[in-house]
Amino acid sequence: MRLKDPFSLKTADMTKRTNRPKKTRDEESSDEVGSMCQHVSKAVDLTSVKKAVTGSVWSVCSECLRERNMFEGEPAGSHDVLVCLKCGFQGCNHSESQHSTKHQQAHHPESHCITISLSTWKAWCFECNEELSTHCNKKALAQALDFLQKHSVKATSGKAFIKFREEPSEYSDPQRGKSPTNSTPYPVKGINNLGNTCFFNAVMQNLSQTHMLNDLIQEVKEKGHKLKISPPPDTNLVPLMITLPNPEPLTSAMFLFLQSMKEAGKGPISPKLLFNQLCQKAPRFKGYQQQDSQELLHYLLDSIRVEETKRIKAGILKAFNNPTEKTADEETKRQVKAYGKEGVKMNFVDRIFVGELTNTIMCEECEHIFTVKEAFIDISLPIIEERVRSICLEKVYTSARKQMLISSLPPVVTLHLKRFHQAGMNLRKVNRHVDFPLTLDLAPFCSASCKNLVPGERVLYSLYGIVEHSGSMRGGHYTAYVKVRAPQRRSEQRRNQSGGREASGPSPGQWVYVSDTNVQTVPESRVLNSQAYLLFYEFC
């Protein structure tokens, strides 16, 4: 993956730099953003901002609106708007218009140099030519951000729910000539922030647009669901049909949350029930402190996986009349164990998100080969920086080669870009932008023994969701980009669960940006410029 500069603002269009020492490349990619800005005291006037913002069209460039400048059917300045903290002017950062930059230049002596982006909530000083941390700067900057975010909730309350029309008949069932019941794209709703829970909300937006998750959890949500377990031939066991008991509390809360995200209606929803159930399983998320989205995803899926495994095992035991160690003979024990081994893999978390990696290590001295297989929910990828900072010293006992390949592909592959890592005694964040594809071919990264993979074929996955992190280690904000598209036909999903064959390509759709309760449609170009932290791909 190719790296480029982290900010979308073009430095060529900025004013001249101050005489402060130029930052090294190391500093640009670390979390050392937000040093005290000397312009805050003169460039922030909250009273003027409140007066101007409340009397203007929200999140639209004033100049583009006045000039009737249109882009993709909307005012050109409705995609990336910066608010001047001196006067409340809303100006676009569109590559052609640059009304925000022109406003600052026209009022240069009056210190109109600090802005806040209404899409990323990042603060930028044109004079310092750098991003400012709204969490560690002067109080006036934090107050301005707080006002703008609260005003955004009020101004977009009618936009906190976006529903898209049903796709054309190309998604209809060719056998019946009718549209399947799940052909309508799922709506996008805002999610209330319970207090520093943006890390949770951003993940949930992506999970709510994971179509296979919505379908499978719908199937197993109630007591009495039938599940067929087919052990491998070498066990000499016939398929067993089991009846599942009631789902456990976290799984039930997950279903209710996903259902409420799909239902028509205005306004954002509260994730309190689901979040509280997760905190019962993972107390580390209690206290409403900012947490890590990747860890949240792991704890959530692992906890649901444990609940569903317990549920499947209970169904197996019931099919054998609940045998105990004292009452069961050796053959019954063998069968229960065999069905259990295969049955636990059939929980809906494994069927959607869990794949398998094969690690092969060869000692270059004795040429002995070690092979280790491990399951994964996501694949963590390091962000390689352009020069080594220090020498991720250790004793080297022997030379070896290591190769890691995918041996089993899940229908949904999640990539984790490792932006947070240890640097000596300190934790730091890599703020560089990383290019990522809309369509990803995973065939070159699969082992020769990958299930259902024919040599020479491509295995295409389509991007449908992103978790973005802006800011630094000391303070930041998680947001989401999700692609609203028509769900796949059920026959396609069953084919894809086991790896599938190469499909024609991703479905068309509309990208949506979500920051807690703020929901807005965005062009694909903005998605590709995001500072991705988690990437969600589905088999296409």
Side-chain angles (χ1 to χ4, degrees):
M1 293 186 176
R2 184 167 54 87
L3 303 177
K4 67 181 183 183
D5 291 336
F7 302 114
S8 61
L9 294 172
K10 292 182 173 61
T11 55
D13 295 322
M14 304 295 184
T15 56
K16 293 182 178 179
R17 296 177 182 266
T18 59
N19 291 327
R20 65 176 59 189
K22 183 178 180 181
K23 285 190 173 185
T24 64
R25 297 190 67 88
D26 287 352
E27 291 172 325
E28 288 178 353
S29 62
S30 72
D31 66 344
E32 295 300 321
V33 295
S35 57
M36 296 300 291
C37 173
Q38 61 181 343
H39 305 100
V40 172
S41 58
K42 294 183 179 180
V44 179
D45 186 342
L46 187 54
T47 302
S48 297
V49 171
K50 288 182 178 180
K51 184 177 179 180
V53 165
T54 53
S56 304
V57 179
W58 177 246
S59 194
V60 174
C61 174
S62 302
E63 286 298 304
C64 287
L65 193 62
R66 182 179 65 82
E67 298 170 359
R68 299 293 189 268
N69 184 14
M70 305 297 288
F71 178 73
E72 294 187 354
E74 299 180 33
S78 63
H79 299 288
D80 191 5
V81 177
L82 309 179
V83 175
C84 173
L85 297 189
K86 179 70 172 181
C87 64
F89 171 82
Q90 297 182 65
C92 67
N93 186 40
H94 190 264
S95 58
E96 296 179 1
S97 304
Q98 287 289 326
H99 285 135
S100 181
T101 303
K102 292 176 181 177
H103 171 78
Q104 186 272 333
Q105 292 172 343
H107 298 81
H108 183 260
E110 301 176 21
S111 297
H112 291 241
C113 60
I114 298 182
T115 63
I116 285 183
S117 168
L118 298 184
S119 59
T120 65
W121 300 115
K122 293 178 181 178
W124 180 273
C125 178
F126 284 87
E127 291 288 345
C128 299
N129 205 12
E130 67 178 7
E131 181 185 353
L132 307 179
S133 171
T134 54
H135 297 268
C136 65
N137 265 273
K138 295 183 179 179
K139 188 177 181 180
L141 194 58
Q143 289 177 335
L145 175 65
D146 182 64
F147 163 75
L148 291 174
Q149 289 181 326
K150 289 180 178 178
H151 182 76
S152 177
V153 173
K154 295 179 182 178
T156 59
S157 58
K159 299 180 182 178
F161 165 74
I162 296 181
K163 184 177 180 180
F164 296 86
R165 65 179 177 83
E166 185 173 336
E167 291 295 324
S169 58
E170 62 179 297
Y171 298 103
S172 61
D173 190 334
Q175 296 179 346
R176 297 179 178 268
K178 298 180 181 179
S179 296
T181 56
N182 66 341
S183 63
T184 302
Y186 301 143
V188 179
K189 289 185 178 181
I191 303 176
N192 290 326
N193 193 313
L194 304 177
N196 288 322
T197 55
C198 61
F199 70 97
F200 174 81
N201 291 352
V203 169
M204 295 315 302
Q205 287 292 351
N206 282 273
L207 293 183
S208 68
Q209 290 296 325
T210 303
H211 296 158
M212 193 174 175
L213 173 61
N214 278 277
D215 287 347
L216 289 186
I217 201 171
Q218 174 75 23
E219 290 180 0
V220 302
K221 72 180 189 300
E222 294 178 352
K223 177 181 179 180
H225 175 73
K226 303 290 185 180
L227 188 67
K228 184 178 181 180
I229 302 176
S230 300
D234 59 1
T235 61
N236 296 320
L237 295 176
V238 298
L240 177 69
M241 186 70 73
I242 66 172
T243 302
L244 298 181
N246 282 320
E248 297 287 312
L250 180 59
T251 305
S252 296
M254 184 70 169
F255 167 75
L256 292 174
F257 174 85
L258 294 176
Q259 191 68 18
S260 63
M261 290 290 282
K262 291 169 56 179
E263 292 173 351
K266 293 184 178 180
I269 68 169
S270 172
K272 191 171 184 179
L273 175 63
L274 176 60
F275 187 75
N276 286 346
Q277 285 296 330
L278 175 63
C279 289
Q280 296 297 318
K281 303 284 186 180
R284 64 175 298 148
F285 297 114
K286 290 182 178 179
Y288 301 102
Q289 300 295 318
Q290 185 63 277
Q291 302 279 352
D292 181 76
S293 277
Q294 190 233 5
E295 291 185 357
L296 179 279
L297 179 65
H298 273 241
Y299 275 96
L300 178 63
L301 295 182
D302 278 340
S303 297
I304 293 177
R305 190 184 186 197
V306 169
E307 284 192 348
E308 284 297 284
T309 297
K310 177 181 177 182
R311 192 179 175 203
I312 291 172
K313 286 183 176 179
I316 294 173
L317 291 175
K318 185 177 180 180
F320 282 86
N321 296 318
N322 296 314
T324 64
E325 287 291 330
K326 293 182 179 179
T327 60
D329 55 31
E330 291 303 317
E331 177 60 19
T332 299
K333 291 179 181 179
R334 183 189 76 84
Q335 293 185 27
V336 168
K337 184 177 180 180
Y339 285 118
K341 182 179 179 180
E342 195 66 26
V344 295
K345 302 175 185 177
M346 298 186 67
N347 70 81
F348 64 85
V349 173
D350 280 46
R351 291 166 66 187
I352 302 169
F353 300 100
V354 177
E356 183 184 75
L357 289 173
T358 297
N359 294 306
T360 303
I361 303 174
M362 184 187 76
C363 176
E364 292 187 336
E365 293 184 5
C366 66
E367 297 186 351
H368 185 74
I369 296 177
F370 303 86
T371 301
V372 178
K373 294 187 177 182
E374 58 180 327
F376 68 85
I377 286 180
D378 60 28
I379 300 176
S380 293
L381 303 174
I383 300 178
I384 301 175
E385 300 189 67
E386 293 187 3
R387 81 180 174 90
V388 179
R389 297 180 176 278
S390 60
I391 300 177
C392 295
L393 295 176
E394 60 181 66
K395 294 181 179 179
V396 178
Y397 295 100
T398 184
S399 298
R401 294 181 181 179
K402 180 177 180 180
Q403 185 182 54
M404 182 181 295
L405 294 172
I406 301 171
S407 48
S408 179
L409 281 164
V412 173
V413 170
T414 306
L415 302 182
H416 165 230
L417 302 183
K418 298 172 69 174
R419 293 191 177 275
F420 306 101
H421 61 88
Q422 196 83 23
M425 298 297 293
N426 301 315
L427 282 173
R428 57 179 297 276
K429 182 196 172 188
V430 178
N431 276 316
R432 293 185 182 277
H433 175 81
V434 178
D435 285 342
F436 49 87
L438 292 172
T439 302
L440 179 65
D441 181 14
L442 287 178
F445 311 102
C446 294
S447 66
S449 61
C450 188
K451 297 178 182 178
N452 296 321
L453 181 62
V454 177
E457 75 169 337
R458 294 192 298 168
V459 182
L460 300 183
Y461 280 75
S462 175
L463 182 70
Y464 73 92
I466 297 172
V467 170
E468 178 184 49
H469 182 271
S470 58
S472 66
M473 291 293 300
R474 292 185 296 273
H477 185 53
Y478 287 96
T479 55
Y481 291 89
V482 292
K483 185 180 181 181
V484 180
R485 72 266 181 233
Q488 293 175 319
R489 294 193 299 270
R490 190 64 60 87
S491 59
E492 290 178 340
Q493 288 186 348
R494 290 198 182 100
R495 176 169 59 95
N496 296 342
Q497 285 180 37
S498 60
R501 290 286 180 266
E502 180 181 343
S504 58
S507 301
Q510 171 65 58
W511 282 98
V512 179
Y513 168 81
V514 194
S515 174
D516 293 331
T517 57
N518 182 22
V519 181
Q520 63 183 83
T521 58
V522 293
E524 191 176 84
S525 58
R526 178 170 159 186
V527 176
L528 293 174
N529 283 324
S530 64
Q531 197 175 51
Y533 181 52
L534 296 177
L535 297 165
F536 291 79
Y537 286 88
E538 64 182 353
F539 187 90
C540 62

